Amino acid sequence: KTGEEELLNKGTQDFKYSYKSQKLGADITLQHLYNISRSIKTRWTSGLGLSYAFIQEDDKKLVIGISALKEKETPISGEVKIQNRMSANLYFSIKLNKNIELLGANNYQPNIEEAVDFRLKTMLALRINLSPHFLLSINNTFNYDSFPAEGIPETDYQLINSISYTF
């Protein structure tokens, strides 16, 4: 909820595919996003890119990537925007021991036509295997948008705790 009146309605559906050959990957991304708190009724994004795994071991990974994105965004009020963006990505994971893993991801997405218009998303997660079937995950996400809708702050934060059961 925000305040006492409005129930937040937000979500993301992602389809990502990466064809990997050794350490190089060819990536396809399709995304649907909606976020009432950011005044986004819907945003459709498609992208193509390349990624390279500098480190790809069982206990640690470091991957960078670059993609070209096409977006169609419908705000809650206002006109539909179609934009071309680049996306620079950095992903890492480190297994601290057999039950604890630290994951991180950074996405920087400048507008190709107007470089001062950019988004930054940083995620840091701690995953703890409580047993062979239960996983505790603590996720922290920071979002920055240099040109948000009018009246919307440039930054927002999320802290998501979850317990997963695998069978």
Side-chain angles (χ1 to χ4, degrees):
K1 289 187 79 166
T2 94
E4 293 298 318
E5 299 147 17
E6 191 176 329
L7 184 64
L8 283 181
N9 184 8
K10 66 188 221 176
T12 305
Q13 293 80 41
D14 280 314
F15 173 79
K16 295 182 180 186
Y17 177 79
S18 185
Y19 176 77
K20 301 223 185 268
S21 173
Q22 300 294 342
K23 293 186 172 213
L24 192 62
D27 307 316
I28 297 172
T29 300
L30 299 171
Q31 182 187 70
H32 172 246
L33 175 134
Y34 55 97
N35 189 337
I36 300 301
S37 66
R38 305 294 301 160
S39 193
I40 300 169
K41 184 176 181 180
T42 187
R43 179 189 297 152
W44 292 96
T45 305
S46 61
L48 294 171
L50 295 172
S51 59
Y52 184 78
F54 282 97
I55 301 170
Q56 192 168 330
E57 300 171 9
D58 289 340
D59 62 341
K60 56 189 163 213
K61 292 180 183 168
L62 177 64
V63 180
I64 63 163
I66 189 161
S67 301
L69 306 174
K70 182 81 161 183
E71 286 184 349
K72 181 179 179 184
E73 182 177 306
T74 305
I76 290 174
S77 61
E79 296 182 20
V80 173
K81 296 186 285 185
I82 296 177
Q83 299 178 339
N84 296 308
R85 292 186 178 271
M86 295 296 294
S87 182
N89 309 303
L90 172 71
Y91 169 83
F92 70 88
S93 69
I94 302 167
K95 288 191 179 180
L96 303 173
N97 63 36
K98 69 177 188 166
N99 292 322
I100 300 174
E101 184 176 18
L102 183 65
L103 301 130
N106 291 294
N107 299 312
Y108 171 67
Q109 297 179 338
N111 185 328
I112 292 173
E113 290 90 22
E114 196 174 341
V116 294
D117 175 10
F118 67 92
R119 295 189 198 114
L120 178 67
K121 181 176 184 174
T122 300
M123 183 276 299
L124 187 62
L126 183 65
R127 300 177 81 181
I128 303 168
N129 290 317
L130 301 173
S131 76
H133 297 286
F134 283 100
L135 171 75
L136 171 66
S137 183
I138 303 166
N139 301 290
N140 186 20
T141 303
F142 167 78
N143 293 298
Y144 177 84
D145 187 343
S146 64
F147 282 96
E150 187 174 325
I152 304 295
E154 293 175 338
T155 60
D156 70 67
Y157 309 87
Q158 294 175 323
L159 178 63
I160 300 170
N161 301 313
S162 61
I163 295 177
S164 302
Y165 176 74
T166 305
F167 54 94

